[in-house]
């Protein structure tokens, strides 16, 4: 995998349509609401992971992105880099690029904000309660 950040991404003009993304809370599973090419963001990606207690875990790789997962509601178990973190409301975990990630919903399900951007280097895994 390339260690370089893409420099060919074109930024959309700043307009109401490219800056205001309504109803990001609606939906299930892992989904993206903000990404380069569809919004005015040049590097930022924003999405949500919303799971009910009975839903299967979401598994993915961070590829060339560093990721921040922030628990907005409920609870979740996040496993990556050989560690598992129990996220409650407002807890967060920083996940380095090239990491395998598994998100399991807690007893009342979970709603996590996922914020990411491409990076060239790996930085340390970090949990913030």
């Amino acid at each position: 995998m390339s260690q370089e950040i893409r420099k060919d991404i074109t930024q959309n003009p700043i307009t109401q349509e490219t800056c205001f993304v309504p109803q990001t809370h609606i939906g299930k599973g892992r989904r993206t609401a903000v990404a380069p090419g569809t919004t005015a963001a040049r590097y930022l990606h924003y999405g949500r992971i919303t799971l009910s207690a009975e839903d299967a875990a979401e598994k993915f790789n961070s590829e060339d992105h560093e990721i921040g997962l922030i628990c907005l509601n409920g609870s979740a178990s996040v496993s990556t880099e050989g560690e598992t973190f129990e996220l409650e409301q407002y807890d967060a975990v920083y996940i380095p690029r090239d990491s395998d990630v598994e998100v399991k919903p807690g007893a009342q399900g979970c709603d996590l904000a996922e914020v990411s951007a491409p990076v060239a280097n790996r930085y340390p895994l970090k949990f913030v309660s």
Side-chain angles (χ1 to χ4, degrees), residues 14-27:
I14 296 176
T15 66
Q16 182 172 348
E17 291 77 24
T18 63
C19 289
F20 178 66
V21 182
Q23 302 179 345
T24 64
H25 66 288
I26 296 175

Side-chain angles (χ1 to χ4, degrees), residues 2-5 64-66 94 97 117-123:
S2 171
Q3 293 292 315
E4 293 185 22
I5 296 175
D64 65 343
H65 282 229
E66 60 185 355
Y94 168 84
R97 66 169 283 150
V119 293
N121 299 315
R122 291 187 100 238
Y123 299 99

Side-chain angles (χ1 to χ4, degrees), residues 26-42:
I26 296 175
K28 294 261 313 200
R30 183 174 181 233
R31 58 208 185 278
T32 301
V34 172
T38 59
T39 64
R42 181 171 288 168

Side-chain angles (χ1 to χ4, degrees), residues 30-95:
R30 183 174 181 233
R31 58 208 185 278
T32 301
V34 172
T38 59
T39 64
R42 181 171 288 168
Y43 301 107
L44 175 74
H45 294 249
Y46 169 79
R48 300 283 274 269
I49 301 173
T50 307
L51 302 170
S52 298
E54 62 276 354
D55 288 338
E58 283 285 339
K59 297 178 183 181
F60 56 95
N61 186 280
S62 61
E63 298 178 359
D64 65 343
H65 282 229
E66 60 185 355
I67 297 175
L69 295 178
I70 304 120
C71 185
L72 301 177
N73 201 359
S75 63
S77 194
V78 177
S79 299
T80 187
E81 303 284 300
E83 295 191 52
T84 299
F85 303 96
E86 300 300 326
L87 274 66
E88 301 289 333
Q89 190 173 34
Y90 308 129
D91 290 342
V93 63
Y94 168 84
I95 300 167

